Amino acid sequence: MADEHDRRIPLVYVLGNSHSGSTVLGFYIACDEREFYAGEFKKYYDLPGRICSCSEPLESCPMWSKFAGISHDNFGTNVTMRRKIRAILSLFWGMRFPHSVVEYENEREIIASVFSTAKNRNDQTSVIVDSSKSVWRLMFLESLDFIDLKVIHLERDLKGNMASFLKRGHGFFGSLMKILINDFLIRIYKRKTQTPVIEALYQDLAGDPTTLMNTIAAFVGLPDAGPTELNPNAHELHVPTGNDFTREQFHRSTHVLKRRDEWNQLMRGWQLKILESLSGAKNP
């Protein structure tokens, strides 16, 4: 037990914007049994009542039943706001704030328990993947000495990302500000961090995911390439968070992402012009 407690846990973090394809990326990664996709850790405060991707309520899921009652103390609103403030102060002014012993130990217990539970169910598990995407959670993870951390920055073109926001009922300007601010914070983070980061493009995820998964496997440090075919039913996946429609569709086919020009139907001409001026894309 002492050896397990002292060993650093390999964790891959997906960084990016909301509605950028991170749920599908996580499922693709999980087609390699050595990489366990744990969903978004930042949403673990909201696990009760959720349905796992295996179709079982989390309370009866063989993977997640023991985590269904996770305390709000480590993932609730107050903790989230505190970590966001710390991340901003650290990014812009280099200020560092020690987290409490309780906060550290709670996080350690949860991450280690998820990893050990996944490994007990499949001894090939070597890495866990957190697709929380936010800079503030990533910077908190960097402060934890029990994690061997690597980062995948998932990038999506502005018009496609905005289309995904709009079709879910979000407003144009509010969504645009969220993307622009988050992209700004990510750029600053990437300039300053010493953590290994690899870029993954949405168009590669939609067009040639197998090659991208092999690149990620090499980046993570797995000795061989990933599976030559991305089969969603090769083994049972247990993902407690993410887009419900995507999670359901992935079990039917890995061809979930489509390279469509959705913005042509979802946006008005003046909205497209704003996005084109911001992204530098002259051809819609």
Side-chain angles (χ1 to χ4, degrees):
M1 290 294 291
D3 183 59
E4 285 187 14
H5 190 269
D6 294 335
R7 187 179 57 178
R8 296 178 75 196
I9 299 170
L11 189 146
V12 174
Y13 188 88
V14 179
L15 174 67
N17 290 312
S18 297
H19 311 307
S20 59
S22 61
T23 301
V24 175
L25 174 63
F27 271 108
Y28 277 139
I29 290 174
C31 287
D32 186 335
E33 292 189 79
R34 299 169 296 179
E35 302 172 85
F36 177 75
Y37 177 36
E40 301 178 50
F41 273 91
K42 72 178 184 182
K43 292 186 176 179
Y44 279 16
Y45 71 92
D46 193 29
L47 289 185
R50 285 182 176 266
I51 304 296
C52 179
S53 61
C54 71
S55 300
E56 288 289 333
L58 257 61
E59 289 78 4
S60 57
C61 169
M63 172 65 208
W64 293 107
S65 58
K66 66 183 291 186
F67 302 99
I70 285 178
S71 170
H72 285 229
D73 294 343
N74 220 48
F75 294 98
T77 303
N78 291 337
V79 171
T80 295
M81 183 55 64
R82 184 167 66 247
R83 292 180 183 177
K84 285 181 178 179
I85 293 171
R86 287 175 178 173
I88 294 297
L89 293 175
S90 178
L91 275 177
F92 291 99
W93 292 282
M95 300 173 68
R96 300 289 179 180
F97 299 88
H99 38 64
S100 69
V101 173
V102 173
E103 190 175 10
Y104 176 91
E105 290 299 333
N106 284 347
E107 192 82 32
R108 178 174 188 147
E109 180 181 355
I110 292 168
I111 293 176
S113 185
V114 169
F115 182 68
S116 64
T117 302
K119 195 167 184 65
N120 287 338
R121 291 182 52 78
N122 183 347
D123 61 9
Q124 294 188 57
T125 301
S126 303
V127 178
I128 57 175
V129 179
D130 176 3
S131 64
S132 293
K133 297 183 290 296
S134 62
V135 174
W136 60 263
R137 174 154 180 84
L138 174 55
M139 294 186 67
F140 172 73
L141 291 176
E142 283 189 330
S143 70
L144 304 178
D145 57 9
F146 61 87
I147 291 174
D148 181 9
L149 182 65
K150 293 185 178 180
V151 178
I152 301 170
H153 177 203
L154 178 59
E155 300 181 78
R156 186 174 185 182
D157 65 284
L158 182 57
K159 287 190 290 186
N161 206 166
M162 281 292 296
S164 286
F165 270 92
L166 295 181
K167 73 180 182 181
R168 290 171 173 83
H170 299 287
F172 179 82
F173 286 109
S175 301
L176 181 59
M177 290 305 298
K178 285 181 181 179
I179 291 174
L180 295 179
I181 291 171
N182 197 50
D183 283 346
F184 175 65
L185 295 176
I186 289 174
R187 285 196 300 272
I188 296 175
Y189 166 80
K190 289 172 69 176
R191 285 203 304 265
K192 295 186 174 184
T193 188
Q194 300 298 311
T195 302
V197 180
I198 188 175
E199 282 75 33
L201 302 179
Y202 180 91
Q203 55 262 40
D204 293 336
L205 189 61
D208 188 11
T210 302
T211 298
L212 179 58
M213 293 310 104
N214 288 337
T215 300
I216 289 174
F219 169 71
V220 170
L222 298 175
D224 302 304
T228 56
E229 181 181 357
L230 298 176
N231 181 1
N233 298 308
H235 60 283
E236 191 170 56
L237 304 179
H238 294 277
V239 184
T241 65
N243 183 284
D244 290 336
F245 178 76
T246 301
R247 293 192 299 155
E248 179 184 352
Q249 289 293 103
F250 198 92
H251 278 288
R252 301 175 186 174
S253 169
T254 56
H255 301 291
V256 175
L257 298 183
K258 297 179 175 60
R259 290 175 289 182
R260 300 176 297 194
D261 294 345
E262 291 181 301
W263 50 82
N264 289 330
Q265 292 78 41
L266 293 170
M267 296 183 214
R268 298 175 181 176
W270 63 269
Q271 294 173 327
L272 289 173
K273 287 181 180 179
I274 291 175
L275 299 185
E276 288 168 9
S277 66
L278 289 170
S279 64
K282 301 303 181 183
N283 298 310

